[in-house]
Amino acid sequence: MKKETKFTHVARPPAGLGTAVNPDITRASTLLFEKAEDLYRSDIRGYGRHGSAVHDALKEAFNMLEGGAGTTLFPSGLAACTYPILSQVKAGDHILLTDSSYGPTRFFCDGHLNKMNITTEMYDPRIGADIAKLIRPNTSVILLESPGSLTFEVQDLPAITAVAKEHGITTIIDNTWSAGLTLTPLALGVDISCHAATKYFGGHSDVMSGAAVSRTKKLADQVALTAKHLGNASSPDDAYQILRGFRTVVPRFRQQEATSLALAQWLADHPKVQQVLHPAHPSHPDHSIWKRDFTGGGCIFSVVLNPCSEKEVLSFVNALNLFGIGYSYGGFESLCIHCDPQLKRSHADKLSGPLIRFACGLEAMDDLKDDIEQAFNEIS
Ligand SMILES: Cc1ncc(COP(=O)(O)O)c(C=O)c1O
């Protein structure tokens, strides 16, 4: 069965007389029990923090999406990345983090984990099987993100997970870019796949949410227990919104994916652009790995402009009318940011021009193209 069909039917309440098509939202902190004997039972939900029917339905949808054994939900995508890491480390450990990771994940590792005597070593996202050379006796986790944030390097997941398995190391991927629709990392040996559901599943830039899906029940229990100990809870309204987004994510994603590739193809030949960084474009250095492991693209990509002044870059972004200036992606509206102020790379060669990231929404491709073309007038 195709994903769009599955997403229409997954985690629906049984049809009855006049039942709604999605589970109801139950807002609760206290849950009441009929009998005192039931108060300490471990087999039933005892308190609002432990979720509700709509949370369960959303977890079922994420398990189906990724082929996972268990999902924990979080109030943001960043939390969906940090809690799974915490579930797998202890003081004294060494972890490996791809140099292309989402910035706040890097800050969490460098800052918070460092205070707990956990050392983070950045590695080249294109390292492949050579990651074996970085493994130490105390390496507990390898963090992946493919393609990487801002610069879109594609990682050789089967090569890296094979090394991790040999050494009993947990692998965790930020799989936000593909929405799990064009990459299924658990099938390639990754242990935990994390999503900022804020993006494609929210789809309307008005809700924040995250999910971590584990390959085995043991890992899923470890993530869930860490989240429980730290008081993690996400609102039933947000869980409902994300489940609602699941119903329509496939056609929205397909349109955004097609727009992003069409824009990348056009920009690749544009005289003001030096390089497009889109894994689905044949000019991308990792295009062959992308073709092997992915079944499609995403809605977001970057371009390296020909060298120009910072003033021209700012004028270009300010001149865009249809692309909003703002972070994130996967919403119905297109966005653009200039990346250089936040670009931190220990391993990559310095880019030879300013980096601009485009997130494609649901507008018509030709209108977006015209908007970019008129903004290029700001650059000489
Ligand atoms: C790749 C990636 N991971 C995680 C996050 C964090 O998600 P959230 O904004 O929901 O915390 C983002 C947000 O931009 C992201 O781009």
Side-chain angles (χ1 to χ4, degrees):
M1 199 187 280
K2 295 253 166 39
K3 281 201 167 154
E4 44 270 61
T5 313
K6 287 188 187 168
F7 285 6
T8 314
H9 289 270
V10 69
R12 296 255 304 265
L17 276 177
T19 41
V21 297
N22 276 323
D24 290 338
I25 298 172
T26 305
R27 295 193 188 90
S29 53
T30 297
L31 300 174
L32 291 175
F33 298 86
E34 239 179 307
K35 290 189 265 140
E37 287 85 340
D38 290 332
L39 203 49
Y40 296 103
R41 276 171 57 175
S42 58
D43 60 328
I44 50 174
R45 221 188 307 270
Y47 191 54
R49 218 169 40 224
H50 305 156
S52 68
V54 74
H55 292 92
D56 289 348
L58 183 57
K59 288 185 204 177
E60 188 185 333
F62 271 108
N63 285 339
M64 188 207 75
L65 172 74
E66 289 274 14
T71 292
T72 301
L73 302 174
F74 297 95
S76 73
L78 179 58
C81 297
T82 57
Y83 280 74
I85 303 171
L86 274 178
S87 77
Q88 300 300 309
V89 292
K90 60 180 184 325
D93 280 359
H94 164 253
I95 67 170
L96 290 164
L97 172 63
T98 174
D99 201 21
S100 56
S101 82
Y102 175 58
T105 302
R106 184 182 189 127
F107 304 144
F108 167 76
C109 294
D110 272 351
H112 192 84
L113 292 186
N114 192 35
K115 280 199 299 192
M116 296 166 65
N117 192 25
I118 295 157
T119 312
T120 302
E121 183 177 350
M122 312 303 300
Y123 68 88
D124 180 344
R126 297 193 166 108
I127 196 167
D130 275 350
I131 199 148
K133 295 180 186 153
L134 303 182
I135 308 287
R136 303 181 192 169
N138 58 341
T139 306
S140 53
V141 172
I142 299 175
L143 295 167
L144 307 142
E145 186 175 330
S146 187
S149 278
L150 307 177
T151 40
F152 298 93
E153 298 88 344
V154 182
Q155 298 199 256
D156 191 339
L157 300 181
I160 295 176
T161 56
V163 172
K165 288 220 164 14
E166 225 175 274
H167 292 84
I169 293 168
T170 306
T171 44
I172 303 176
I173 192 167
D174 184 330
N175 191 22
T176 303
W177 186 80
S178 87
L181 295 176
T182 55
L183 179 74
T184 43
L186 305 188
L188 299 176
V190 177
D191 291 313
I192 306 175
S193 178
C194 309
H195 287 270
T198 307
K199 319 289 177 204
Y200 300 107
F201 295 97
H204 297 74
S205 306
D206 56 0
V207 58
M208 304 208 68
S209 175
V213 191
S214 299
R215 199 169 48 78
T216 64
K217 175 150 186 338
K218 185 175 167 206
L219 285 162
D221 288 348
Q222 287 167 348
V223 176
L225 192 65
T226 303
K228 188 176 176 187
H229 285 162
L230 289 165
N232 174 65
S234 51
S235 108
D237 298 79
D238 293 349
Y240 183 92
Q241 290 284 79
I242 301 298
L243 184 63
R244 196 173 185 267
F246 248 95
R247 307 298 183 206
T248 58
V249 71
V250 175
R252 286 187 285 108
F253 183 91
R254 293 287 175 233
Q255 182 176 330
Q256 290 169 305
E257 176 194 20
T259 301
S260 87
L261 185 55
L263 282 180
Q265 273 157 348
W266 167 66
L267 285 164
D269 296 326
H270 198 284
K272 294 196 175 163
V273 171
Q274 206 171 118
Q275 194 186 0
V276 295
L277 303 176
H278 192 312
H281 192 270
S283 68
H284 191 280
D286 308 319
H287 185 64
S288 58
I289 299 182
W290 173 82
K291 256 169 84 178
R292 185 192 67 191
D293 293 344
F294 287 71
T295 57
C299 80
I300 186 167
F301 69 100
S302 292
V303 299
V304 182
L305 298 178
N306 287 335
C308 61
S309 70
E310 190 189 343
K311 189 164 168 285
E312 284 177 305
V313 171
L314 297 178
S315 302
F316 167 78
V317 177
N318 287 332
L320 293 164
N321 296 313
L322 296 178
F323 287 84
I325 305 170
Y327 295 112
S328 203
Y329 58 97
F332 60 84
E333 81 295 9
S334 293
L335 297 168
C336 178
I337 57 169
H338 60 297
C339 307
D340 293 353
Q342 61 160 309
L343 196 59
K344 289 199 172 32
R345 294 288 183 263
S346 326
H347 289 278
D349 296 336
K350 207 171 156 359
L351 297 171
S352 49
L355 188 67
I356 303 282
R357 188 181 78 175
F358 295 105
C360 302
L362 293 170
E363 302 91 338
M365 204 288 282
D366 285 344
D367 292 332
L368 295 177
K369 192 172 140 188
D370 291 348
D371 194 30
I372 297 173
E373 187 63 83
Q374 64 79 27
F376 270 136
N377 289 331
E378 302 296 321
I379 300 176
S380 54

